Amino acid sequence: MKIALSFQFFDLPLQHPFTISRYTVTVQKTVVVTITDGVHTGFGEATANPYYHSTPERLTQSLLKIKPFVDASADLHPAILWNQLAPMLPEDYFALCAVDIAYWDFYSRKHSKTLRSYWSEENAKTPVTSYTIGIDSLPVMKQKILEKPWPIYKIKLGTANDLAIVKSLREITEAVFRIDANCAWTAEQTITNANILKELNVEFIEQPLKAEDAAGMKWVRQNSVLPIIADESCQREEDVWACSEVFHGINIKLMKCGGITPALRMIKVARENRLLVMAGCMTESTVGISGLCQIAPLLDYLDSDGALLLSADIAEGVTFDFGKIVYPNAFGTGVKRTAK
């Protein structure tokens, strides 16, 4: 039976302006990829992201380029299809990710299996997801926490008052904090800040230095009292080996690495190098989040709150009960599109 790839763009409005050290987003542009044989349908997602040169125009060109090959691939295993498509999109792993997740979803629905069952038990333990607090005025950051009681918060930093922010937020919650500096600190700042943040019940620091500062990161890894997790420094499979020398762990983002297929390989290499493994998300809908959560049983940490930051979603699927993943009773990723 033949399959067909199609795609559609959506605007995802956020509940609050979302700010990191590089930019602010109020509406997130995203593309949803659909792969169907008329009976079984899979869904994947990729967002527009200026930092990674992912634009609607580029996504459109990439998806149209590989559509004929996907349409002729109904009987391939997802990993084989990925290996065939990757050389065609060497500079657009966001589009590759959307297709990879959609095809995995289609493939597992066709075989009447949940997607995660290909690598874990159905009821395997999964980590609790964090909830992200973007950079804002301190009263607004506090209000976001009060509006959303949660066991773990990821705090975005990269301001002139980072430590004061964390100390103030600690006054209103006993939840675990994770810090994401988004490349905004120096090595010296990171070591100094880590000593203070550890006393404030911070679990780890994510990507404090610029991605190209390997020497600084090596020094930080040797001297930090908190684990340091790579994000911008770990985008694709080939980055994992290098990160093992200068980080305690890695954060895998499906859009950066090209989807679930390479993420599984990255996890294997990370474990072989005794790295902590986290997976994170973009500001995306439940389509992408439901795909991401399929690899959750393989992880130490999870940041899958992207759809929770939206004021209006476009799909139903994975939900969260105070941070704990609730999988839908359905094959594949369990996603159902709700927006036309």
Side-chain angles (χ1 to χ4, degrees):
M1 186 177 293
K2 291 185 177 181
I3 62 174
L5 180 152
S6 61
F7 58 93
Q8 184 177 355
F9 285 90
F10 294 91
D11 289 328
L12 306 176
L14 277 64
Q15 294 183 39
H16 305 281
F18 184 75
T19 300
I20 63 174
S21 61
R22 293 189 291 266
Y23 52 79
T24 298
V25 176
T26 56
V27 178
Q28 178 64 60
K29 177 76 73 174
T30 197
V31 65
V32 172
V33 169
T34 301
I35 295 177
T36 185
D37 62 6
V39 177
H40 309 96
T41 302
F43 302 98
E45 181 177 9
T47 62
N49 188 305
Y51 185 77
Y52 295 102
H53 310 293
S54 177
T55 64
E57 294 76 17
R58 186 178 186 179
L59 289 165
T60 297
Q61 292 172 2
S62 296
L63 293 170
L64 289 176
K65 180 178 182 179
I66 63 175
K67 173 177 166 56
F69 295 88
V70 176
D71 289 355
S73 304
D75 297 322
L76 290 182
H77 185 276
I80 296 175
L81 178 61
W82 191 94
N83 288 336
Q84 292 184 357
L85 296 179
M88 301 174 61
L89 297 178
E91 302 301 326
D92 193 353
Y93 271 32
F94 277 55
L96 184 60
C97 169
V99 174
D100 182 69
I101 295 176
Y103 190 81
W104 265 113
D105 188 21
F106 162 77
Y107 184 86
S108 52
R109 291 181 197 241
K110 182 178 178 180
H111 290 85
S112 301
K113 297 181 65 172
T114 64
L115 182 44
R116 65 189 182 280
S117 68
Y118 282 93
W119 43 79
S120 69
E121 298 293 330
E122 291 282 350
N123 58 350
K125 183 178 179 181
T126 58
V128 172
T129 184
S130 55
Y131 182 83
T132 304
I133 306 297
I135 297 172
D136 212 315
S137 67
L138 191 53
V140 171
M141 294 178 78
K142 284 187 171 182
Q143 186 58 36
K144 290 178 181 178
I145 289 177
L146 295 174
E147 288 177 359
K148 193 75 171 181
W150 211 253
I152 305 171
Y153 293 103
K154 175 189 277 193
I155 311 298
K156 294 284 189 176
L157 296 178
T159 75
N161 304 297
D162 284 344
L163 291 178
I165 289 172
V166 179
K167 290 177 181 178
S168 186
L169 296 180
R170 176 51 72 209
E171 295 173 358
I172 63 169
T173 178
E174 295 181 356
V176 172
F177 285 170
R178 296 169 180 171
I179 299 302
D180 186 356
N182 280 117
C183 311
W185 294 350
T186 65
E188 291 77 12
Q189 281 179 303
T190 303
I191 297 301
T192 300
N193 291 350
N195 291 319
I196 298 170
L197 294 171
K198 184 177 181 180
E199 300 303 315
L200 294 169
N201 194 23
V202 168
E203 189 172 23
F204 60 72
I205 300 172
E206 187 177 341
Q207 195 71 43
L209 275 59
K210 289 181 171 56
E212 61 269 19
D213 190 2
M217 280 311 315
K218 187 172 184 178
W219 185 74
V220 167
R221 185 186 188 280
Q222 293 170 345
N223 294 278
S224 175
V225 297
L226 288 175
I228 307 296
I229 309 296
D231 185 3
E232 284 83 353
S233 293
C234 189
Q235 297 187 32
R236 299 187 180 181
E237 293 180 67
E238 56 267 28
D239 298 325
V240 180
W241 287 102
C243 286
S244 68
E245 298 293 325
V246 293
F247 290 93
H248 299 99
I250 59 171
N251 181 11
I252 298 170
K253 290 187 176 175
L254 299 186
M255 291 184 207
K256 294 182 188 180
C257 73
I260 289 174
T261 298
L264 295 172
R265 297 195 292 256
M266 291 173 75
I267 292 169
K268 182 177 184 293
V269 174
R271 294 307 187 192
E272 291 171 351
N273 285 273
R274 299 182 180 180
L275 287 168
L276 296 166
V277 182
M278 172 182 175
C281 64
M282 304 298 188
T283 305
E284 56 196 271
S285 78
T286 290
V287 173
I289 296 302
S290 296
L292 169 63
C293 285
Q294 302 304 310
I295 66 170
L298 307 178
L299 307 173
D300 299 303
Y301 310 118
L302 181 64
D303 176 29
S304 59
D305 66 336
L308 299 176
L309 304 176
L310 305 178
S311 61
D313 206 337
I314 58 173
E316 297 175 351
V318 163
T319 58
F320 299 95
D321 180 9
F322 198 57
K324 181 178 174 58
I325 298 172
V326 180
Y327 292 105
N329 184 22
F331 297 131
T333 66
V335 163
K336 293 181 181 179
R337 280 267 305 272
T338 57
K340 300 298 183 182

